[in-house]
Amino acid sequence: MRTLIGRIAAALAGLALLAPLPLRAADEIYRWYDKDGNVYYTQQPPPPGALRAPPAPAPNTPPPSPTAEPRPERVTPRIAPATPAAAKTTPADASTARTPSSTTPPVAAKTPPADASTARTPSSTTAPAAAKTLPDAERPEDTTTSLARGLEAYGRGDYAETVAIIRPLAERGDPTAQSRLAALYERGAGVEQDFSEAARWYRKAAEAGDALAQQSLGSMLGEGRGVAHDDAEAIVWWTRAAEHGVAAAQTSLGNAYYAGAGVGKDDIAALQWWRKAAVQGFPPAQERLAFAYAHGVGLERSDKQAMFWYRSAAEQGLAPAQVELAERYRRGSKPDTLTESVRWYRIAAAQGYPPAQHGLAGAYALGAGVKQDYAEAARLYRQAAEQGYAPAQKALAGLYLKGDGVPKSRDEAERWMRRATDGAEPTPAAPPSPVAR
């Protein structure tokens, strides 16, 4: 018992928290916010103009693009063996590469029909009589139209119709339909979730050259979902998709080179793949490129470039980048930077991201950028703690031990510290992407 309480007390060391302002006993306490997002607890009803929830953050003007960004070219990424001739294409250049659209039909279906004024050859002028007389309503629907109908059904939440439309196309060998059917199995939309079945359909589409399926199959191999974990094979499929310009595959490939997973560790190769995806506007790659600048991964450190890329990802809604941006502003310790830190914490916390909830709670506990409020800190710590975020569990235990913002309780303090120590409740992973990956 004493050992556990000692650990809680140690976790509180250095916080320098001031005692909270006491609240008078009352039958009812009102909680409201002002226009700056500060929270108040009063016994009187809120004044006119008071807000019942924190205000939405003000829009932030994007910074100008960095000038003369260094582009290290010391080595070329070591990639897996070339793709078979049937599926091989020229690697996409970073300045023009685009992630293939989820609704892109197979290559054969993309070829436009010949113009009637120029296609009159002896072989093309004679058509079967049945084809000339069939009404439009009785003509078989082409693959592109069927796929579009399937995705439209998915968009309105009719997953059963989506499966009914896409499965026949997949069984006939259409790689785009196979990739979409695999995504339905991965997500459990319209069918029972089945990672093994998802991997099977992804493999069929990947082997037929579908770049999105190649990326997804690589991810399942890298995570061991539905198939045996195999980093080396994941590299092969990520490389094929990356060469087609799929930003997610380029990012995964960069991560693999950085970690040395399935391939030799190579910071320069990691940097180059991250950059290819980042310049396409892919937020996870922008966050990784910012990380490279912040820590000198494959290039010289640059806080200016790190801030630029973190902001680029944060403004597209990537919560980890938003928290990193908030942490960097918090370290500035000036009133304006602390206010900006709180703004980014709030944006990320609104997405339910535990590190952001923890960071915002810390701001309320210390009164950094907001008015000090232990009750609000406890509420936010609890949100993160209930998702299994250990730092928030320890902080909440500390509040219970001291009675800051919550009733003083050694039992509750011990319970939360035990949960943090046991690590029995990891933060849940993000759900798989929908069909339109």
Side-chain angles (χ1 to χ4, degrees), residues 125-396:
T125 54
T126 304
K132 292 181 177 181
T133 58
L134 274 176
D136 289 344
E138 297 180 14
R139 292 180 184 175
E141 190 174 55
D142 63 28
T143 300
T144 304
T145 305
S146 296
L147 283 173
R149 282 200 309 112
L151 292 176
E152 189 274 332
Y154 183 91
R156 67 173 185 269
D158 192 342
Y159 304 131
E161 183 179 350
T162 304
V163 174
I165 294 172
I166 289 180
R167 186 186 294 279
L169 300 175
E171 291 173 345
R172 289 202 297 267
D174 182 80
T176 305
Q178 291 170 340
S179 179
R180 302 303 179 269
L181 182 60
L184 290 170
Y185 273 110
E186 183 182 6
R187 185 174 176 82
V191 292
E192 185 176 351
Q193 190 175 48
D194 188 333
F195 292 141
S196 296
E197 192 69 1
R200 184 175 75 87
W201 284 108
Y202 275 139
R203 187 176 293 277
K204 285 178 177 290
E207 290 173 348
D210 185 275
L212 295 180
Q214 291 167 348
Q215 149 63 19
S216 297
L217 180 58
S219 294
M220 299 197 84
L221 287 162
E223 298 167 13
R225 287 188 301 120
V227 290
H229 182 102
D230 191 333
D231 286 330
E233 188 181 358
I235 292 294
V236 172
W237 292 111
W238 279 332
T239 300
R240 294 183 183 182
E243 290 175 341
H244 284 77
V246 179
Q250 294 169 340
T251 305
S252 296
L253 201 54
N255 295 343
Y257 274 110
Y258 177 70
V263 69
K265 181 174 173 57
D266 188 334
D267 288 351
I268 300 298
L271 176 68
Q272 291 181 324
W273 284 116
W274 286 338
R275 190 188 303 280
K276 281 180 178 289
V279 297
Q280 295 189 60
F282 190 57
Q286 293 174 334
E287 188 274 336
R288 289 289 81 195
L289 184 56
F291 170 84
Y293 275 113
H295 298 277
V297 177
L299 40 58
E300 292 185 7
R301 292 182 58 180
S302 171
D303 285 338
K304 180 179 179 181
Q305 293 290 338
M307 285 292 285
F308 171 80
W309 288 110
Y310 275 132
R311 183 179 292 276
S312 296
E315 289 177 345
Q316 294 188 69
L318 189 69
Q322 292 167 346
V323 169
E324 181 61 34
L325 208 55
E327 291 288 334
R328 286 174 164 263
Y329 279 119
R330 180 183 60 80
R331 290 195 289 268
S333 300
K334 298 178 181 179
D336 56 340
T337 60
L338 290 176
T339 299
E340 187 71 356
S341 173
V342 168
R343 188 176 82 88
W344 284 111
Y345 275 137
R346 279 202 177 112
I347 294 172
Q351 300 183 52
Y353 188 54
Q357 294 165 339
H358 176 263
L360 185 56
Y364 274 107
L366 294 169
V370 289
K371 289 184 178 180
Q372 189 179 49
D373 187 331
Y374 287 117
E376 187 71 0
R379 186 181 70 85
L380 290 161
Y381 278 139
R382 188 181 299 277
Q383 288 181 354
E386 288 177 347
Q387 295 186 66
Y389 191 61
Q393 292 171 337
K394 293 178 181 178
L396 187 58

